Amino acid sequence: MTRTFFEPDETEEYEAAADLLTRRCLAWAGERDLPADSVVLAAALESRHRSRDGRLAHWDREQVRRFLLVWTPHYVVAPRDVLDAAPESLRTLLRYLDASGLWDPRGAPVAELSDAVTAAEYAAALDDPLRQSVAKFWARIALDRGVDFDDRRALEKFQRDIDAGRVPYDAEVLDQLMMARLTEPELDEERAYAQPPIALPPAAELAEAAAQSVLVRQLAAVAEWAGAEGRPLTAEGLPRRPDARELAALLETGEDDLRVAEMRQVNRMLTWAKKARLIRTSKGQVFRGAKAAPILRDPEALWSRAFEVFFELGGTIGAPPTSWYSASVLVSAFDEILPDVLNSMYGLPSPVPVVRLQESVWLACKEHFQFDDWGLREQGWRLQVDQDLLAALEALAVLGAVELSHGAADELYSSDLDDEEQPLGPAAAERLRARLRDPDLLLARLTPLGLRATRERMLAEGRDAPLIGELATAPPAELLGLLAQHYPPEAAAVELAGWLAVPGQDVERLLRAVRDCPFRTRATAMLGTMTEALPDGLSIIRGLRDDPVLGPIALSALLDGEDIQPESLSDRERLLLLAEELLVLLELGGPEAVLDEVTEAAGKDTREVIEAALSSGHPDVAGLEELGALLPRLTRAHHPLRLVAGNAPGSRGRRGGHGKKRRH
């Protein structure tokens, strides 16, 4: 389909889609006299493809700023007038995505993005020589000297001129760029795993759950204990023993008889409250935060802030260092590894065995530190990491973000252990198999509050984390496009049912959106997703056989499902299916794929096949225009005998091939 999301290794599929979107956007812009440059359009799509979420049609202010202020100065090589007009070209692309039904409604509205970057900001970014890459540094010099990038000899001469010192350049800037390349991260963002759609309870239930959180009540108690008058602290920054015992009793930690330094739960809560800005220290005393009152009156906001700062608490959650062991390696990477733990639990259909999490966390710790020789201490360090992970999960359970239980593990968590490519390794896999047979394992799962909070963190990182119900009022074209690409069938059916439950939203609106879709492959996917999710989907497909726009798609679906037989097709339907097949191939593979495939299949009749498709009456006017544009190329490259009628001198020409191959 004309997708707007591709995995990083789907290079050919992405390039074909990006080429198609660029061609269609340029044509659309030309019809409306809007500014658009192919280099800028392709670069904008590339910036989204090489991002954390990879959604080409999902744009917000941050993504616009990333493209114009970071990506373009760093990568895009073009004449200055083209670069100066890049914001206008980007605006045209965004308008085209919106007008063609490709826009992701979970991004910002197009109208809100026009002022994401000011003209002054953009000009300053372009003029900053240190924002460019080393490759762009040399490409700009070559461009200024008139070097043709498609001329190999010209490029080789340019390189010789550089080596001979005949090309002037700013050596200081080049040195700084070389250093930046070694020390600064690449602009390509590591692609995050796609997350499954989740469902959450109503907002009122989540607010009530936050109010019932044990830790929320404890944090409020800490703030109340500190008070506006404050409590004195020792030289070590700890409460005095009577105050600490009073707080231990309030929190019911059972630490009343311990020394203050040994009251780990009390000290953890003090640290947690301080990180959450509920208390503050000043001049040897601890006070309730001056601005803490509003959040203390809002349990849900307090819960969210407590979750946000949890990842800064590794030192108070992990076991303290001893004379034999230093602080746990998990504590040292707590703020990096614990979010990954919650991400791995997100959206799973059943509770996760904690032993499975411990194996993965230990592997992450070893990769994080990469010790050449762990030596005799490895077993002790491993035990410490296991215990610290358990302590972290228990703290999250007190907060109400994680639910801990006991029981047998779902087969899901052992099903991949026989896979040769699983990352744990043979020894860990064998150890896990044995441990997962225990019928009374400790299990963990995210609560609804934990799911919502983890999702919010993912969204803040630019990740895609669908939520059932968030598309309830989305435009029908955008709804079906997202369901087709990002939702499994069961979740798509639930989301679609919710959309149809909104007054004024019905099946006819969905069908109208499919008819209006300018891409055959996308329209096919949209219609397939819709009819698969509806109980009467097959009857809808049957009723579309003679539809002037959707007929070819319906015919293809009915043939694939063996609901009709090929011999029952009329000549007109056969031509429509031929055109549909070629247009789909054009969208998926580009013009070269059509020329190669049709020539291989039809040989000398290639021209007649394409002309038959063009005369079919197929409704995709834009696609037929692109298909018709292949005929002159076909004549020149594939059938040189037809260049000149008869056998006049020179009419045979040179033997042609299948045309220039696509570069991937």
Side-chain angles (χ1 to χ4, degrees):
M1 59 181 288
T2 302
R3 295 152 53 192
T4 56
F5 173 83
F6 299 87
E7 296 294 347
D9 59 352
E10 292 184 296
T11 304
E12 293 188 5
E13 294 87 344
Y14 162 72
E15 288 184 352
D19 287 349
L20 176 64
L21 288 174
T22 300
R23 294 197 310 270
R24 294 289 180 88
C25 182
L26 288 172
W28 182 86
E31 294 168 357
R32 292 158 179 79
D33 196 26
L34 295 174
D37 181 84
S38 60
V39 172
V40 176
L41 300 181
L45 294 172
E46 185 79 4
S47 75
R48 293 299 294 122
H49 177 59
R50 290 161 59 183
S51 68
R52 184 173 299 278
D53 63 309
R55 293 174 287 174
L56 306 184
H58 184 278
W59 289 82
D60 55 24
R61 296 180 70 87
E62 181 179 346
Q63 290 299 339
V64 169
R65 293 182 65 81
R66 174 177 179 258
F67 174 65
L68 291 177
L69 301 182
V70 181
W71 193 274
T72 298
H74 192 77
Y75 285 123
V76 182
V77 179
R80 181 61 190 234
D81 62 325
V82 172
L83 295 179
D84 286 339
E88 286 71 31
S89 286
L90 175 63
R91 190 173 298 115
T92 296
L93 173 64
L94 302 186
R95 290 178 59 184
Y96 170 71
L97 293 173
D98 187 33
S100 59
L102 300 175
W103 190 255
D104 189 328
R106 299 169 299 177
V110 175
E112 295 181 6
L113 300 179
S114 60
D115 63 345
V117 174
T118 67
E121 283 181 297
Y122 181 60
L126 283 185
D127 291 335
D128 185 351
L130 299 183
R131 295 203 183 200
Q132 64 187 322
S133 65
V134 173
K136 180 173 178 177
F137 174 85
W138 289 116
R140 286 183 60 185
I141 294 174
L143 188 66
D144 291 343
R145 293 174 67 89
V147 176
D148 184 353
F149 292 165
D150 293 326
D151 187 335
R152 180 177 58 83
R153 291 184 178 180
L155 290 173
E156 290 174 351
K157 182 180 182 303
F158 177 63
Q159 182 63 58
R160 289 195 301 269
D161 290 343
I162 292 173
D163 296 338
R166 292 189 291 269
V167 177
Y169 62 88
D170 191 326
E172 183 179 350
V173 168
L174 179 60
D175 288 343
Q176 290 178 280
L177 294 177
M178 291 293 291
M179 183 60 67
R181 186 169 70 173
L182 296 174
T183 59
E184 297 178 4
E186 288 293 324
L187 297 186
D188 287 28
E189 297 174 342
E190 182 179 359
R191 183 67 66 84
Y193 288 111
Q195 296 296 329
I198 64 164
L200 290 175
E205 290 186 24
L206 292 170
E208 177 62 23
Q212 296 301 317
S213 166
V214 172
L215 192 127
V216 164
R217 295 200 297 270
Q218 288 179 328
L219 288 173
V222 171
E224 183 65 25
W225 167 86
E229 300 299 323
R231 301 266 184 165
L233 298 174
T234 66
E236 292 77 21
L238 299 174
R240 293 180 179 178
R241 183 173 174 80
D243 291 331
R245 292 183 66 183
E246 179 184 339
L247 182 56
L250 280 173
L251 301 178
E252 299 180 350
T253 66
E255 298 172 316
D256 309 46
D257 296 331
L258 298 178
R259 292 186 304 163
V260 176
E262 295 173 343
M263 296 181 180
R264 297 199 65 236
Q265 293 185 64
V266 167
N267 290 318
R268 178 191 301 167
M269 291 305 303
L270 285 168
T271 302
W272 208 328
K274 187 175 181 180
K275 293 282 188 183
R277 303 189 300 281
L278 303 176
I279 59 175
R280 62 182 179 87
T281 58
S282 176
K283 298 180 180 180
Q285 287 190 293
V286 58
F287 300 86
R288 183 176 63 234
K291 299 180 180 179
I295 197 170
L296 289 170
R297 292 193 296 268
D298 186 346
E300 194 170 11
L302 178 53
W303 192 99
S304 296
R305 184 176 292 182
F307 181 84
E308 289 171 8
V309 302
F310 165 78
F311 304 99
E312 304 173 22
L313 301 176
T316 65
I317 289 175
T322 66
S323 58
W324 182 245
Y325 290 109
S326 60
S328 162
V329 289
L330 176 57
V331 168
S332 301
F334 195 83
D335 60 336
E336 295 182 35
I337 293 178
L338 259 295
D340 286 343
V341 170
L342 299 190
N343 291 349
S344 68
M345 297 167 62
Y346 184 88
L348 291 174
S350 57
V352 187
V354 172
V355 293
R356 181 73 197 245
L357 294 174
Q358 288 171 330
E359 289 288 354
S360 298
V361 166
W362 176 241
L363 178 64
C365 287
K366 294 183 72 172
E367 291 178 347
H368 188 84
F369 288 94
Q370 296 181 339
F371 291 151
D372 293 331
D373 182 14
W374 288 75
L376 298 176
R377 293 191 175 189
E378 178 170 349
Q379 185 175 355
W381 273 330
R382 167 65 197 270
L383 179 61
Q384 198 174 41
V385 166
D386 286 354
Q387 291 173 343
D388 287 350
L389 176 61
L390 180 57
L393 293 174
E394 289 173 343
L396 286 168
V398 175
L399 175 60
V402 167
E403 176 187 335
L404 297 175
S405 61
H406 285 82
D410 193 294
E411 291 182 2
L412 169 68
Y413 302 109
S414 56
S415 60
D416 66 330
L417 295 180
D418 293 326
D419 188 344
E420 294 181 357
E421 297 182 0
Q422 59 88 13
L424 296 176
E430 185 59 35
R431 183 168 57 246
L432 257 182
R433 284 192 200 94
R435 299 181 73 181
L436 290 173
R437 296 189 190 103
D438 186 341
D440 192 34
L441 286 168
L442 179 63
L443 307 174
R445 75 185 311 163
L446 290 175
T447 65
L449 278 173
L451 278 171
R452 182 179 68 175
T454 302
R455 177 175 181 268
E456 288 173 351
R457 281 181 64 89
M458 291 181 179
L459 294 177
E461 294 170 356
R463 299 182 61 171
D464 183 13
L467 177 67
I468 298 295
E470 68 179 333
L471 302 177
T473 58
E478 298 166 3
L479 165 79
L480 291 176
L482 287 175
L483 296 185
Q485 290 188 92
H486 299 289
Y487 284 62
E490 298 81 4
V494 174
E495 189 71 42
L496 188 60
W499 189 90
L500 289 170
V502 176
Q505 297 181 170
D506 54 25
V507 171
E508 186 51 45
R509 281 193 65 191
L510 296 174
L511 288 174
R512 188 159 58 248
V514 181
R515 290 189 183 96
D516 292 342
C517 178
F519 302 100
R520 303 307 293 177
T521 45
R522 188 176 183 88
T524 298
M526 292 165 62
L527 184 62
T529 296
M530 182 188 88
T531 53
E532 184 178 354
L534 296 175
D536 57 344
L538 180 58
S539 64
I540 292 175
I541 290 288
R542 289 172 177 163
L544 295 173
R545 179 170 179 171
D546 296 321
D547 188 275
V549 177
L550 300 181
I553 297 176
L555 285 171
S556 296
L558 293 171
L559 282 172
D560 290 343
E562 299 183 350
D563 197 65
I564 60 175
Q565 300 304 313
E567 55 269 19
S568 69
L569 297 174
S570 66
D571 290 341
R572 176 180 174 277
E573 289 176 332
R574 293 177 192 277
L575 281 178
L576 286 173
L577 285 174
L578 170 65
E580 183 75 14
E581 183 178 352
L582 294 185
L583 293 170
V584 166
L585 183 59
L586 181 66
E587 291 184 4
L588 294 178
E592 303 297 339
V594 175
L595 292 177
D596 290 346
E597 293 284 343
V598 178
T599 301
E600 181 178 351
K604 65 180 182 180
D605 296 325
T606 298
R607 184 180 184 87
E608 286 73 14
V609 169
I610 294 180
E611 288 177 339
L614 294 175
S615 66
S616 65
H618 195 284
D620 185 3
V621 176
L624 290 179
E625 287 180 357
E626 289 192 349
L627 198 60
L630 298 180
L631 288 178
R633 297 177 56 189
L634 176 69
T635 301
R636 291 193 302 269
H638 292 264
H639 291 287
L641 289 177
R642 298 190 183 194
L643 281 172
V644 182
N647 291 312
S651 65
R652 296 185 64 84
R654 293 189 300 133
R655 182 176 296 275
H658 293 300
K660 185 178 179 180
K661 297 292 186 183
R662 274 181 54 84
R663 291 182 296 172
H664 297 300

